[in-house]
PDB file of all heavy atoms in Angstrom:
ATOM      1  N   ASN B 228     -61.345  78.310  45.495  1.00 90.00           N
ATOM      2  CA  ASN B 228     -62.170  79.023  44.506  1.00 90.00           C
ATOM      3  C   ASN B 228     -63.076  80.041  45.177  1.00 90.00           C
ATOM      4  O   ASN B 228     -63.198  81.182  44.725  1.00 90.00           O
ATOM      5  CB  ASN B 228     -63.056  78.025  43.738  1.00 90.00           C
ATOM      6  CG  ASN B 228     -62.278  77.334  42.651  1.00 90.00           C
ATOM      7  OD1 ASN B 228     -61.248  77.853  42.208  1.00 90.00           O
ATOM      8  ND2 ASN B 228     -62.720  76.173  42.228  1.00 90.00           N
ATOM      9  N   GLN B 229     -63.703  79.574  46.279  1.00 93.00           N
ATOM     10  CA  GLN B 229     -64.640  80.457  46.984  1.00 93.00           C
ATOM     11  C   GLN B 229     -63.897  81.673  47.543  1.00 93.00           C
ATOM     12  O   GLN B 229     -64.368  82.811  47.435  1.00 93.00           O
ATOM     13  CB  GLN B 229     -65.298  79.677  48.114  1.00 93.00           C
ATOM     14  CG  GLN B 229     -66.582  80.324  48.576  1.00 93.00           C
ATOM     15  CD  GLN B 229     -67.184  79.576  49.750  1.00 93.00           C
ATOM     16  OE1 GLN B 229     -66.569  78.661  50.290  1.00 93.00           O
ATOM     17  NE2 GLN B 229     -68.364  79.977  50.149  1.00 93.00           N
ATOM     18  N   ALA B 230     -62.709  81.406  48.133  1.00 95.00           N
ATOM     19  CA  ALA B 230     -61.924  82.492  48.728  1.00 95.00           C
ATOM     20  C   ALA B 230     -61.501  83.494  47.657  1.00 95.00           C
ATOM     21  O   ALA B 230     -61.574  84.707  47.866  1.00 95.00           O
ATOM     22  CB  ALA B 230     -60.698  81.907  49.429  1.00 95.00           C
ATOM     23  N   SER B 231     -61.081  82.977  46.504  1.00 93.00           N
ATOM     24  CA  SER B 231     -60.615  83.906  45.464  1.00 93.00           C
ATOM     25  C   SER B 231     -61.781  84.718  44.903  1.00 93.00           C
ATOM     26  O   SER B 231     -61.654  85.906  44.627  1.00 93.00           O
ATOM     27  CB  SER B 231     -59.873  83.163  44.356  1.00 93.00           C
ATOM     28  OG  SER B 231     -60.778  82.398  43.632  1.00 93.00           O
ATOM     29  N   ARG B 232     -62.959  84.052  44.767  1.00 92.00           N
ATOM     30  CA  ARG B 232     -64.143  84.784  44.273  1.00 92.00           C
ATOM     31  C   ARG B 232     -64.552  85.875  45.259  1.00 92.00           C
ATOM     32  O   ARG B 232     -64.843  87.001  44.881  1.00 92.00           O
ATOM     33  CB  ARG B 232     -65.310  83.810  44.043  1.00 92.00           C
ATOM     34  CG  ARG B 232     -65.301  83.183  42.654  1.00 92.00           C
ATOM     35  CD  ARG B 232     -66.685  82.652  42.298  1.00 92.00           C
ATOM     36  NE  ARG B 232     -67.194  81.725  43.295  1.00 92.00           N
ATOM     37  CZ  ARG B 232     -66.972  80.410  43.259  1.00 92.00           C
ATOM     38  NH1 ARG B 232     -66.235  79.891  42.281  1.00 92.00           N
ATOM     39  NH2 ARG B 232     -67.469  79.625  44.185  1.00 92.00           N
ATOM     40  N   SER B 233     -64.530  85.493  46.553  1.00 95.00           N
ATOM     41  CA  SER B 233     -64.924  86.437  47.595  1.00 95.00           C
ATOM     42  C   SER B 233     -63.950  87.618  47.652  1.00 95.00           C
ATOM     43  O   SER B 233     -64.353  88.773  47.760  1.00 95.00           O
ATOM     44  CB  SER B 233     -64.956  85.685  48.927  1.00 95.00           C
ATOM     45  OG  SER B 233     -64.995  86.566  49.986  1.00 95.00           O
ATOM     46  N   LEU B 234     -62.666  87.310  47.538  1.00 94.00           N
ATOM     47  CA  LEU B 234     -61.646  88.367  47.569  1.00 94.00           C
ATOM     48  C   LEU B 234     -61.837  89.321  46.383  1.00 94.00           C
ATOM     49  O   LEU B 234     -61.784  90.546  46.537  1.00 94.00           O
ATOM     50  CB  LEU B 234     -60.248  87.736  47.525  1.00 94.00           C
ATOM     51  CG  LEU B 234     -59.088  88.704  47.623  1.00 94.00           C
ATOM     52  CD1 LEU B 234     -59.026  89.303  49.030  1.00 94.00           C
ATOM     53  CD2 LEU B 234     -57.756  88.018  47.307  1.00 94.00           C
ATOM     54  N   ALA B 235     -62.070  88.729  45.197  1.00 92.00           N
ATOM     55  CA  ALA B 235     -62.260  89.560  44.001  1.00 92.00           C
ATOM     56  C   ALA B 235     -63.482  90.461  44.158  1.00 92.00           C
ATOM     57  O   ALA B 235     -63.453  91.641  43.799  1.00 92.00           O
ATOM     58  CB  ALA B 235     -62.414  88.666  42.774  1.00 92.00           C
ATOM     59  N   ARG B 236     -64.572  89.885  44.731  1.00 91.00           N
ATOM     60  CA  ARG B 236     -65.808  90.661  44.913  1.00 91.00           C
ATOM     61  C   ARG B 236     -65.586  91.831  45.881  1.00 91.00           C
ATOM     62  O   ARG B 236     -65.985  92.958  45.636  1.00 91.00           O
ATOM     63  CB  ARG B 236     -66.913  89.742  45.427  1.00 91.00           C
ATOM     64  CG  ARG B 236     -68.314  90.301  45.201  1.00 91.00           C
ATOM     65  CD  ARG B 236     -69.404  89.322  45.571  1.00 91.00           C
ATOM     66  NE  ARG B 236     -69.236  88.780  46.892  1.00 91.00           N
ATOM     67  CZ  ARG B 236     -69.033  87.489  47.177  1.00 91.00           C
ATOM     68  NH1 ARG B 236     -68.965  86.630  46.183  1.00 91.00           N
ATOM     69  NH2 ARG B 236     -68.883  87.074  48.411  1.00 91.00           N
ATOM     70  N   GLN B 237     -64.895  91.500  47.010  1.00 93.00           N
ATOM     71  CA  GLN B 237     -64.661  92.546  48.014  1.00 93.00           C
ATOM     72  C   GLN B 237     -63.741  93.647  47.495  1.00 93.00           C
ATOM     73  O   GLN B 237     -63.933  94.822  47.753  1.00 93.00           O
ATOM     74  CB  GLN B 237     -64.080  91.909  49.274  1.00 93.00           C
ATOM     75  CG  GLN B 237     -65.138  91.130  50.039  1.00 93.00           C
ATOM     76  CD  GLN B 237     -64.584  90.479  51.269  1.00 93.00           C
ATOM     77  OE1 GLN B 237     -63.706  91.028  51.898  1.00 93.00           O
ATOM     78  NE2 GLN B 237     -65.088  89.299  51.592  1.00 93.00           N
ATOM     79  N   LEU B 238     -62.741  93.212  46.744  1.00 92.00           N
ATOM     80  CA  LEU B 238     -61.801  94.185  46.167  1.00 92.00           C
ATOM     81  C   LEU B 238     -62.527  95.097  45.181  1.00 92.00           C
ATOM     82  O   LEU B 238     -62.336  96.319  45.169  1.00 92.00           O
ATOM     83  CB  LEU B 238     -60.681  93.419  45.444  1.00 92.00           C
ATOM     84  CG  LEU B 238     -59.376  94.162  45.211  1.00 92.00           C
ATOM     85  CD1 LEU B 238     -58.738  94.517  46.551  1.00 92.00           C
ATOM     86  CD2 LEU B 238     -58.409  93.313  44.392  1.00 92.00           C
ATOM     87  N   ASP B 239     -63.383  94.488  44.387  1.00 88.00           N
ATOM     88  CA  ASP B 239     -64.180  95.222  43.403  1.00 88.00           C
ATOM     89  C   ASP B 239     -65.069  96.268  44.107  1.00 88.00           C
ATOM     90  O   ASP B 239     -65.115  97.440  43.716  1.00 88.00           O
ATOM     91  CB  ASP B 239     -65.044  94.192  42.650  1.00 88.00           C
ATOM     92  CG  ASP B 239     -65.841  94.821  41.540  1.00 88.00           C
ATOM     93  OD1 ASP B 239     -65.214  95.126  40.520  1.00 88.00           O
ATOM     94  OD2 ASP B 239     -67.061  95.021  41.717  1.00 88.00           O
ATOM     95  N   GLU B 240     -65.703  95.807  45.185  1.00 89.00           N
ATOM     96  CA  GLU B 240     -66.590  96.688  45.939  1.00 89.00           C
ATOM     97  C   GLU B 240     -65.804  97.843  46.566  1.00 89.00           C
ATOM     98  O   GLU B 240     -66.230  98.999  46.524  1.00 89.00           O
ATOM     99  CB  GLU B 240     -67.268  95.876  47.039  1.00 89.00           C
ATOM    100  CG  GLU B 240     -68.574  96.468  47.506  1.00 89.00           C
ATOM    101  CD  GLU B 240     -69.252  95.509  48.457  1.00 89.00           C
ATOM    102  OE1 GLU B 240     -69.712  94.450  47.988  1.00 89.00           O
ATOM    103  OE2 GLU B 240     -69.272  95.799  49.669  1.00 89.00           O
ATOM    104  N   TYR B 241     -64.650  97.516  47.126  1.00 90.00           N
ATOM    105  CA  TYR B 241     -63.828  98.549  47.777  1.00 90.00           C
ATOM    106  C   TYR B 241     -63.384  99.608  46.753  1.00 90.00           C
ATOM    107  O   TYR B 241     -63.513 100.803  46.979  1.00 90.00           O
ATOM    108  CB  TYR B 241     -62.609  97.905  48.442  1.00 90.00           C
ATOM    109  CG  TYR B 241     -61.659  98.922  49.028  1.00 90.00           C
ATOM    110  CD1 TYR B 241     -61.953  99.544  50.248  1.00 90.00           C
ATOM    111  CD2 TYR B 241     -60.499  99.286  48.346  1.00 90.00           C
ATOM    112  CE1 TYR B 241     -61.108 100.504  50.762  1.00 90.00           C
ATOM    113  CE2 TYR B 241     -59.640 100.243  48.865  1.00 90.00           C
ATOM    114  CZ  TYR B 241     -59.947 100.850  50.079  1.00 90.00           C
ATOM    115  OH  TYR B 241     -59.123 101.803  50.583  1.00 90.00           O
ATOM    116  N   ILE B 242     -62.883  99.125  45.599  1.00 89.00           N
ATOM    117  CA  ILE B 242     -62.359 100.066  44.588  1.00 89.00           C
ATOM    118  C   ILE B 242     -63.470 100.962  44.033  1.00 89.00           C
ATOM    119  O   ILE B 242     -63.299 102.163  43.879  1.00 89.00           O
ATOM    120  CB  ILE B 242     -61.672  99.276  43.439  1.00 89.00           C
ATOM    121  CG1 ILE B 242     -60.373  98.659  43.946  1.00 89.00           C
ATOM    122  CG2 ILE B 242     -61.370 100.165  42.246  1.00 89.00           C
ATOM    123  CD1 ILE B 242     -59.732  97.683  42.987  1.00 89.00           C
ATOM    124  N   HIS B 243     -64.643 100.333  43.775  1.00 85.00           N
ATOM    125  CA  HIS B 243     -65.721 101.101  43.137  1.00 85.00           C
ATOM    126  C   HIS B 243     -66.552 101.919  44.128  1.00 85.00           C
ATOM    127  O   HIS B 243     -66.840 103.083  43.877  1.00 85.00           O
ATOM    128  CB  HIS B 243     -66.655 100.158  42.368  1.00 85.00           C
ATOM    129  CG  HIS B 243     -66.010  99.572  41.166  1.00 85.00           C
ATOM    130  ND1 HIS B 243     -66.020  98.228  40.900  1.00 85.00           N
ATOM    131  CD2 HIS B 243     -65.303 100.132  40.165  1.00 85.00           C
ATOM    132  CE1 HIS B 243     -65.364  97.987  39.793  1.00 85.00           C
ATOM    133  NE2 HIS B 243     -64.918  99.130  39.323  1.00 85.00           N
ATOM    134  N   GLU B 244     -66.932 101.273  45.237  1.00 85.00           N
ATOM    135  CA  GLU B 244     -67.909 101.909  46.127  1.00 85.00           C
ATOM    136  C   GLU B 244     -67.286 102.692  47.280  1.00 85.00           C
ATOM    137  O   GLU B 244     -67.753 103.774  47.602  1.00 85.00           O
ATOM    138  CB  GLU B 244     -68.870 100.838  46.700  1.00 85.00           C
ATOM    139  CG  GLU B 244     -69.519  99.954  45.665  1.00 85.00           C
ATOM    140  CD  GLU B 244     -70.396 100.726  44.699  1.00 85.00           C
ATOM    141  OE1 GLU B 244     -70.835 101.846  45.026  1.00 85.00           O
ATOM    142  OE2 GLU B 244     -70.611 100.217  43.568  1.00 85.00           O
ATOM    143  N   GLU B 245     -66.263 102.120  47.918  1.00 87.00           N
ATOM    144  CA  GLU B 245     -65.733 102.775  49.116  1.00 87.00           C
ATOM    145  C   GLU B 245     -64.649 103.794  48.780  1.00 87.00           C
ATOM    146  O   GLU B 245     -64.740 104.966  49.134  1.00 87.00           O
ATOM    147  CB  GLU B 245     -65.216 101.727  50.101  1.00 87.00           C
ATOM    148  CG  GLU B 245     -66.364 100.882  50.642  1.00 87.00           C
ATOM    149  CD  GLU B 245     -65.923  99.899  51.701  1.00 87.00           C
ATOM    150  OE1 GLU B 245     -64.964 100.208  52.426  1.00 87.00           O
ATOM    151  OE2 GLU B 245     -66.535  98.826  51.765  1.00 87.00           O
ATOM    152  N   ALA B 246     -63.622 103.352  48.084  1.00 87.00           N
ATOM    153  CA  ALA B 246     -62.520 104.279  47.778  1.00 87.00           C
ATOM    154  C   ALA B 246     -62.877 105.177  46.583  1.00 87.00           C
ATOM    155  O   ALA B 246     -62.278 106.235  46.412  1.00 87.00           O
ATOM    156  CB  ALA B 246     -61.256 103.497  47.479  1.00 87.00           C
ATOM    157  N   ARG B 247     -63.868 104.745  45.771  1.00 85.00           N
ATOM    158  CA  ARG B 247     -64.272 105.482  44.567  1.00 85.00           C
ATOM    159  C   ARG B 247     -63.068 105.805  43.679  1.00 85.00           C
ATOM    160  O   ARG B 247     -62.923 106.909  43.166  1.00 85.00           O
ATOM    161  CB  ARG B 247     -64.998 106.800  44.930  1.00 85.00           C
ATOM    162  CG  ARG B 247     -66.125 106.691  45.921  1.00 85.00           C
ATOM    163  CD  ARG B 247     -67.377 106.109  45.345  1.00 85.00           C
ATOM    164  NE  ARG B 247     -67.992 106.903  44.291  1.00 85.00           N
ATOM    165  CZ  ARG B 247     -69.032 106.461  43.575  1.00 85.00           C
ATOM    166  NH1 ARG B 247     -69.509 105.250  43.770  1.00 85.00           N
ATOM    167  NH2 ARG B 247     -69.565 107.210  42.650  1.00 85.00           N
TER     168      ARG B 247
END
Side-chain angles (χ1 to χ4, degrees):
Chain B
N228 280 338
Q229 200 183 7
S231 70
R232 273 200 305 271
S233 165
L234 183 69
R236 200 174 51 243
Q237 287 179 34
L238 201 63
D239 184 75
E240 204 173 290
Y241 175 78
I242 290 170
H243 291 130
E244 308 298 339
E245 294 184 31
R247 310 285 296 173

